[in-house]
Every structure is written in C-alpha cells, then in structure tokens.
Amino acid sequence: MKQEKWSSEFGFLMAAAGSAVGLGNIWKFPYIAGQNGGAVFIIIYLLLMLVLGVPVLLSEMAIGRSTGKNPVDACRAISKKCGFIGGFGIMGAFVILAYYCVIGGWIIKYLTSFLLGSRIDSAAEYFSDFTSGSVSPLIYALVFIAVCGTIVLRGVSGGIEKISRIFMPALIFMMLLLIVKALTLEGGADGIKFFLLPDFSHISSIGDFFRILINAMGQVFFSLSLGMGTLITYGAYLDKSASMTRAAVYIPMIDFVIALLAGLMVLPAVFAYDIPPQAGSGMIFIALPQVFGEISGGRIFGAVFFLLVLFAAITSAISLLEVLISFVVQKTGIGRKISAAVCSLAVFAAGIPVSLSFGRWSGISLFGMNFFDLMNFISDNLLMPLGALGICLLCGYIWGAKSVADEADIKSGASRALYRIVIRYAAPVMIAVIFVTTLLGL
Ligand code: PHE
C-alpha cells in the first residue's frame, strides 16, 4: 500500500486549516452565537478554544504522526485496549458527514441559483420550499458527496492539498468585501452590537451558564475538527520535520478569525432584515440572499460567495471522508478508489433521512428531535466530547504527557507543564462535567 504524505508543511497546514474552516464557521457559528447571547458566547468560546482546543489539537496530531495509522489502530498502537477511542472518531465522522452533505447540497443549490440568475423574491419561502422537497435536495447532496469522493480519491497531496491551498485567501477576501457591504445596511450596526458587546443578562441562571458552556464546547470541537480522528489521520501523513506547535497556533487562529468574519458578515444582515438572531440553521440562506438582492452586481457576489462557502465545506468534508477511507483501506486492504466509492455512498444513504427531516419526515422525532437535530446532537454532544475525553486520558495517563510533548516538540518548560495540567486534569474534568450535564438535560 502506498504511504500517503503531504508535500510540504504548508500544504499540511492549509489542509488542516481547510478541515477546520468549514460550515462550522460560516453557517453554524453565527447562529449558535445568536442563540447563545452573542458576545458572551464568543468570550466563552475563545477561552475554551485556548484551554481545551489547542491541547487536544496537539495531542491528536501527535498520536497520528507518531503511529502513522488510522484513528482506531493509532489508539490501539498506544494501548491495546484503547482502539474504541478512535472508534468514536470513525462513527462521529460518519454522522457529521451525513448531515454535512445535506447542507453542502443546499450550498450547491444556492450557487446554481445565483449563477443562473433565478429570482429569490422571498428568501425565507425560497429556502423552505427547497429544503422541504423530497427529491431535489437529495440530488444536490449526492452531487456534493460525489465531488468530495472524487477529490479524496486522488490522494492526499494531489487532491486534498491542492484544493486547500487555493481557497483560503479567496475566502477571506470575499468575506471582507461582504462585511463592508453588510455594515452599510440600515440597522446593520445592531447586529454588530449584538455580536460584539457582551450582554451578561443572557446568563441569568446557572442553567443558562451551562447551556452556553455546552454549546461553546461543542462548537470548539466541531470547528477545530477535534475528537473525530481527522487530525490523527492528517497527522499520520505528516513529516517528522514539520512543526506541530506552529500548526497548533495557526489552525485555531485562522479558524477563529474566519468565524468572527462570518458573524460580522451575517448578523448585520440578520438585524437589518428583522430575522430573529435565533433563526437557526437557515440563517445564512435566508439573510444573505436579501443582501445580494439589494446590491449592484449582487448576483455575481452571491455566486462567488456560495462558491467559496462550497470550497470551505468541501475541504472539511474531505477531511471527514479521509478518516473513513483511511480506516476502510487499512482494515480491508481494498483500494482507495473502491473505498472512496463505498464510503461516499454509505454517507449519502445516511443523509437521506436527514434531508427528509426538513420536509416529508419533519413530523418524525426520536428523543424529541428530528433526524437532523438528532445527528447534530449525537456528533457534537456525544461522540465529539467522548472522543476528545478519550484522547485526553490516552495522552495524559497512558502514553504520558511527556511523550506527547516530545513528539509535538513543545520546548519551553512552562508550556510542557501547562500541557500536562490541561491534558490530565483541566480538560478531562471540564469535558466530563459538561458531558454529564448535557445528559442530565440541564
Ligand atoms: N471543522 C469543520 C467545520 O467547521 C467540521 C468538521 C468537524 C470537520 C470534524 C472535520 C471533523 O465545518
């Protein structure tokens, strides 16, 4: 079997940042921040990103690089009984992909609508008419997963790395343009206030505080692609000479900046058009077409914007698909091509109930959630924290904080000590408390 490798450290960095920056930043962050008190949420999010996100990120990369294996075998290589920790990742990657491909399909739909100049008179109606359909959203989801499958099939340096290098600068540039436009909308400033000025009245009880904490933690893991084996898989293709500490600084930084830019872009429009900031998963699909409808050249802006969001979604989806494929290839010995096809189809099949839950199956609920919410809950609130908790315990107690710090080349004594405290005590305790609280349904 050919051993996959990144062609350079920069290529790895872009691919890992490409995995991190995705729908989580552009589609999810603005509405989760909106639902959880805006700026208060951002502060908690930033703190959790530093305290929990960075150490877990480093640990995952170190596990991947030192073992060179897929998540299950990598964890097993460290301790025979711990393969299941990687197993959380494989399951999580599958669950996320199932709904990621549905939203990815929506993006392709909007991209083609702007390209073809379709009229979007009432954005909210247009959105619900499309998403509640039984066939068309599924076709778009299939196109999305087929594109991802095709890229992944070309291997790591040829497919994943090439795509990731181009899109990031283009995405940032386009977002800045749209922010300038969004700020000039009447009433847009309220959105910025909501987004950036802390309003502590959102935390009126301990229950509120925990709710924000849980959502912020879920979002940190989701946005940095943690607990899902992605960075173990990507780390496995990383050369020994590459600097992981540099990656652990750049990836969260790029990820956070893009999430902030997304909020600055979306929330002014949300306020200007009187959309409740709690609007949820349809927010960017409802708010932004109205902005594009008002500006000159809006059709082109719209098309370019959705193209970039599509890129962001693709570079994340391929990192998840790579987790599944590397696992199937290493476990069964079947080739990359067949694995890519099998995994893509399986993901699509799981996406079908998710897509239908916006229309025909909207009445069906399990544990009080429709399929879409259920998948979100399983990945963000169950598998990701469990995966991340497993990584902390594996690195902190079994492999040992010292060995991880050596592999990650953390040099300064203070950073090593900090890493040790976080990975052994702070992170596991926080994750466990938040996890139990979620289960108790606080
Ligand atoms: N980080 C991606 C995003 O923000 C989603 C993702 C999660 C990708 C987990 C890989 C693994 O959209």
Side-chain angles (χ1 to χ4, degrees), residues 18-25 96 100 219 221-226 228 230 255 312 316-317 319-320 384:
S19 166
V21 173
L23 297 176
N25 305 59
I96 295 181
Y100 220 81
Q219 178 65 13
F221 288 139
F222 186 83
S223 196
L224 286 179
S225 308
L226 298 177
M228 294 289 99
T230 322
D255 191 63
S316 297
S319 72
L320 290 161
M384 282 197 167

Side-chain angles (χ1 to χ4, degrees), residues 158-180:
I160 299 179
E161 195 174 324
K162 275 217 180 91
I163 287 282
S164 308
R165 278 166 179 247
I166 330 172
F167 106 91
M168 201 84 71
L171 177 69
I172 295 184
F173 177 73
M174 193 64 205
M175 288 177 104
L176 288 175
L177 273 184
L178 286 175
I179 290 173
V180 172

Side-chain angles (χ1 to χ4, degrees), residues 279-361:
S281 59
M283 198 149 102
I284 64 165
F285 296 96
I286 296 171
L288 291 178
Q290 313 203 34
V291 182
F292 299 134
E294 275 198 8
I295 58 182
S296 60
R299 187 179 145 191
I300 301 184
F301 268 105
V304 176
F305 172 76
F306 280 105
L307 184 68
L308 293 171
V309 179
L310 180 63
F311 269 143
I314 288 177
T315 51
S316 297
I318 54 184
S319 72
L320 290 161
L321 205 50
E322 182 63 28
V323 171
L324 302 182
I325 291 173
S326 78
F327 178 69
V328 173
V329 169
Q330 289 180 20
K331 277 289 169 216
T332 63
I334 58 175
R336 247 192 114 76
K337 288 207 173 101
I338 301 180
S339 311
V342 170
C343 294
S344 304
L345 277 178
V347 162
F348 173 69
I352 295 175
V354 176
S355 181
L356 292 178
S357 72
F358 289 94
R360 181 172 291 188
W361 289 4

Side-chain angles (χ1 to χ4, degrees), residues 10-96:
F10 180 72
F12 161 73
L13 205 63
M14 286 299 106
S19 166
V21 173
L23 297 176
N25 305 59
I26 301 168
W27 159 77
K28 210 169 189 185
F29 188 81
Y31 86 76
I32 298 269
Q35 286 170 337
N36 289 280
V40 176
F41 176 84
I42 298 178
I43 296 170
I44 296 179
Y45 176 81
L46 193 57
L47 285 176
L48 288 181
M49 184 170 225
L50 295 175
V51 179
L52 289 180
V54 172
V56 177
L57 186 92
L58 268 174
S59 310
E60 283 201 27
M61 285 189 294
I63 294 177
R65 185 165 77 178
S66 87
T67 61
K69 296 200 159 87
N70 70 71
V72 172
D73 290 330
C75 293
R76 193 175 285 150
I78 291 172
S79 163
K80 275 225 154 43
K81 292 201 192 106
C82 289
F84 71 94
I85 297 175
F88 288 135
I90 309 276
M91 285 189 287
F94 184 77
V95 172
I96 295 181

Side-chain angles (χ1 to χ4, degrees), residues 93-164:
F94 184 77
V95 172
I96 295 181
L97 264 177
Y99 67 84
Y100 220 81
C101 75
V102 173
I103 315 290
W106 295 358
I107 292 167
I108 298 183
K109 161 73 181 173
Y110 273 71
L111 171 62
T112 45
S113 301
F114 276 99
L115 282 178
L116 300 174
S118 321
R119 286 194 65 82
I120 302 185
D121 285 329
S122 158
E125 237 168 68
Y126 188 86
F127 176 72
S128 70
D129 281 353
F130 167 65
T131 54
S132 62
S134 298
V135 179
S136 157
L138 283 176
I139 296 176
Y140 283 101
L142 188 60
V143 173
F144 180 81
I145 197 75
V147 171
C148 296
T150 314
I151 296 171
V152 172
L153 188 142
R154 302 174 61 91
V156 163
S157 58
I160 299 179
E161 195 174 324
K162 275 217 180 91
I163 287 282
S164 308

Side-chain angles (χ1 to χ4, degrees), residues 149-313:
T150 314
I151 296 171
V152 172
L153 188 142
R154 302 174 61 91
V156 163
S157 58
I160 299 179
E161 195 174 324
K162 275 217 180 91
I163 287 282
S164 308
R165 278 166 179 247
I166 330 172
F167 106 91
M168 201 84 71
L171 177 69
I172 295 184
F173 177 73
M174 193 64 205
M175 288 177 104
L176 288 175
L177 273 184
L178 286 175
I179 290 173
V180 172
K181 187 63 222 172
L183 288 179
T184 58
L185 293 172
E186 216 185 298
D190 291 336
I192 302 290
K193 265 196 218 133
F194 175 79
F195 192 51
L196 295 182
L197 286 183
D199 174 359
F200 290 99
S201 68
H202 284 288
I203 315 184
S204 56
S205 68
I206 186 86
D208 284 347
F209 178 70
F210 266 102
R211 184 177 48 82
I212 297 181
L213 209 57
I214 289 166
N215 288 324
M217 187 180 78
Q219 178 65 13
V220 165
F221 288 139
F222 186 83
S223 196
L224 286 179
S225 308
L226 298 177
M228 294 289 99
T230 322
L231 286 151
I232 299 184
T233 306
Y234 274 16
Y237 311 142
L238 187 61
D239 198 75
K240 292 281 176 214
S241 63
S243 162
M244 280 189 205
T245 41
R246 212 170 15 233
V249 173
Y250 280 123
I251 298 168
M253 207 166 73
I254 297 173
D255 191 63
F256 184 65
V257 167
I258 296 203
L260 269 190
L261 291 181
L264 291 178
M265 179 176 75
V266 176
L267 285 166
V270 165
F271 274 74
Y273 294 105
D274 277 338
I275 298 166
Q278 291 80 9
S281 59
M283 198 149 102
I284 64 165
F285 296 96
I286 296 171
L288 291 178
Q290 313 203 34
V291 182
F292 299 134
E294 275 198 8
I295 58 182
S296 60
R299 187 179 145 191
I300 301 184
F301 268 105
V304 176
F305 172 76
F306 280 105
L307 184 68
L308 293 171
V309 179
L310 180 63
F311 269 143

